[in-house]
């Protein structure tokens, strides 16, 4: 696995880009200011969230208590991924009690393409969330024809979501979504054949990198298509790591995140040994990150 990219290559333009993008430049902690070339662009506190798949084990036994601990760590938002027997109304009450805010929910492709779509959109309103997210596509659709079918369906779902007063539907990627099949890059089909007003992308930066893509390039080549990220780090052996403990250089990766339209940085770890330790470590890194 290659070492982290050299983020110092990006230092010269950081303050100008931050000012142009209107991104907050007040550090989370004064002692954490990176004084190299005056760098002080930070992720806004309201943009640091937790994708709740990371916390699925404690959520299964104590959903409200898990949310309370995330709020105490400092998280502002969550991406819902599995309700663990709770209704949308109950989850909203748990969130309101802690001050956390749901920004999106992962919903199966077959639910969104079927008769369940109206209830999904109603539940998103109940949760206070903005975006329905397709977490993955069936393996049988991993062909150019399958991804073109998905693009058509995404446009239809996105229109229904917009009509309901919500945001565009988003697609969450895995490594195989970046494969080249019969000479065509599957992920690029979705980017090219979906309406930007109706369809956006929750970019999982780990899986994009694992699949051979460059997340930073997407931000430049497809502006405003990536309102949410899954921030997941990669261990030297290619496995999962707490954010900030692996080989991905998030400072360099996020340098042009504002061009990509990023508004939510959602922490994720697929197999955390200790979910709360992962939550603390990852939050600490993102809150202190200068880019």
């Amino acid at each position: 696995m290659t070492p982290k990219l050299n983020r110092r290559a990006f230092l010269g333009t950081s303050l100008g880009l931050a000012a142009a993008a209107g991104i907050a430049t007040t550090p989370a902690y004064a002692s954490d200011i990176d004084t190299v070339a005056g760098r002080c662009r930070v992720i806004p506190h309201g943009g640091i969230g937790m994708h709740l798949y990371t916390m699925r084990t404690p959520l299964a036994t104590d959903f409200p208590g898990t949310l309370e601990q995330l709020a105490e760590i400092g998280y502002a938002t969550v991406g819902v991924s599995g309700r663990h027997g709770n209704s949308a109304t109950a989850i909203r009450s748990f969130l309101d009690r802690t001050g956390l805010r749901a920004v999106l929910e992962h919903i199966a492709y077959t639910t969104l393409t079927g008769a369940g779509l109206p209830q999904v959109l109603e539940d998103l309103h109940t949760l206070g969330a903005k975006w329905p997210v397709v977490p993955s596509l069936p393996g049988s659709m991993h062909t150019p024809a399958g991804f073109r079918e998905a693009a058509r369906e995404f446009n239809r779902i996105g229109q229904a979501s917009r009509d309901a007063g919500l945001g565009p539907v988003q697609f969450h990627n895995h490594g195989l979504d970046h494969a080249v099949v019969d000479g065509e890059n599957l992920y690029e089909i979705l980017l090219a054949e979906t309406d930007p007003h109706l369809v956006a992308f929750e970019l999982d930066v780990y899986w994009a990198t694992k699949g051979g893509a460059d997340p930073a390039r997407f931000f430049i080549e497809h502006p405003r298509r990536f309102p949410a990220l899954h921030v997941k780090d990669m261990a030297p052996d290619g496995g999962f790591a707490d954010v900030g403990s692996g080989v991905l250089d998030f400072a360099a990766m996020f340098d042009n995140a504002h061009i990509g339209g990023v508004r939510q940085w959602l922490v994720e770890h697929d197999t955390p040994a200790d979910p709360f330790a992962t939550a603390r470590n990852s939050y600490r890194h993102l809150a202190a990150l200068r880019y």
Side-chain angles (χ1 to χ4, degrees):
M1 185 60 56
T2 56
K4 291 188 179 184
L5 299 172
N6 181 6
R7 61 180 286 224
R8 291 179 182 270
F10 296 91
L11 292 176
T13 58
S14 62
L15 292 179
L17 287 171
I23 295 175
T25 56
T26 301
Y29 308 102
S31 61
D32 289 328
I33 295 175
D34 182 345
T35 57
V36 178
R39 172 175 294 276
C40 57
R41 189 198 302 173
V42 301
I43 299 172
H45 174 260
I48 302 179
M50 169 61 73
H51 187 61
L52 292 181
Y53 182 72
T54 308
M55 312 302 296
R56 61 194 180 277
T57 299
L59 284 169
T61 57
D62 186 1
F63 204 111
T66 300
L67 294 181
E68 287 172 5
Q69 291 194 57
L70 291 175
E72 288 171 1
I73 290 168
Y75 287 95
T77 62
V78 298
V80 178
S81 180
R83 297 185 186 175
H84 302 279
N86 297 287
S87 67
T89 300
I91 293 174
R92 176 62 181 272
S93 71
F94 301 153
L95 291 166
D96 288 348
R97 195 180 308 162
T98 63
L100 289 168
R101 180 170 59 92
V103 292
L104 55 83
E105 183 174 23
H106 278 206
I107 303 117
Y109 178 73
T110 51
T111 301
L112 288 170
T113 56
L117 178 59
Q119 185 63 55
V120 165
L121 301 178
E122 182 178 334
D123 285 352
L124 284 167
H125 278 294
T126 300
L127 289 168
K130 182 178 179 67
W131 299 297
V133 180
V134 177
S136 63
L137 291 174
S140 61
M141 296 184 70
H142 278 71
T143 65
F147 268 56
R148 288 196 163 89
E149 177 186 343
R152 292 191 293 271
E153 289 293 325
F154 288 172
N155 283 328
R156 181 180 68 82
I157 296 163
Q159 184 65 66
S161 183
R162 285 296 201 179
D163 290 345
L166 298 166
V169 65
Q170 296 194 45
F171 175 65
H172 169 269
N173 58 298
H174 290 88
L176 290 176
D177 298 319
H178 300 276
V180 175
V181 179
D182 297 333
E184 296 189 79
N185 184 291
L186 298 178
Y187 196 72
E188 295 285 352
I189 290 173
L190 296 180
L191 284 163
E193 300 189 15
T194 54
D195 184 333
H197 179 66
L198 305 178
V199 181
F201 296 84
E202 182 187 44
L203 183 65
D204 188 309
V205 300
Y206 170 96
W207 285 119
T209 304
K210 190 88 165 179
D214 177 4
R217 178 181 64 84
F218 285 136
F219 299 146
I220 298 297
E221 296 182 359
H222 303 281
R224 298 177 299 282
R225 298 299 307 266
F226 304 97
L229 303 180
H230 273 190
V231 185
K232 183 188 306 177
D233 214 337
M234 183 180 292
D237 65 0
F240 305 115
D242 292 355
V243 175
S245 67
V247 300
L248 298 186
D249 188 342
F250 295 114
M253 187 185 295
F254 297 160
D255 196 62
N256 291 305
H258 63 286
I259 296 175
V262 177
R263 296 164 60 185
Q264 285 292 312
W265 285 256
L266 299 173
V267 167
E268 189 181 37
H269 190 307
D270 288 20
T271 57
D274 180 339
F276 290 108
T278 288
R280 288 190 296 271
N281 294 338
S282 299
Y283 179 84
R284 188 178 300 118
H285 182 79
L286 287 184
L289 185 66
R290 304 293 173 263
Y291 66 100

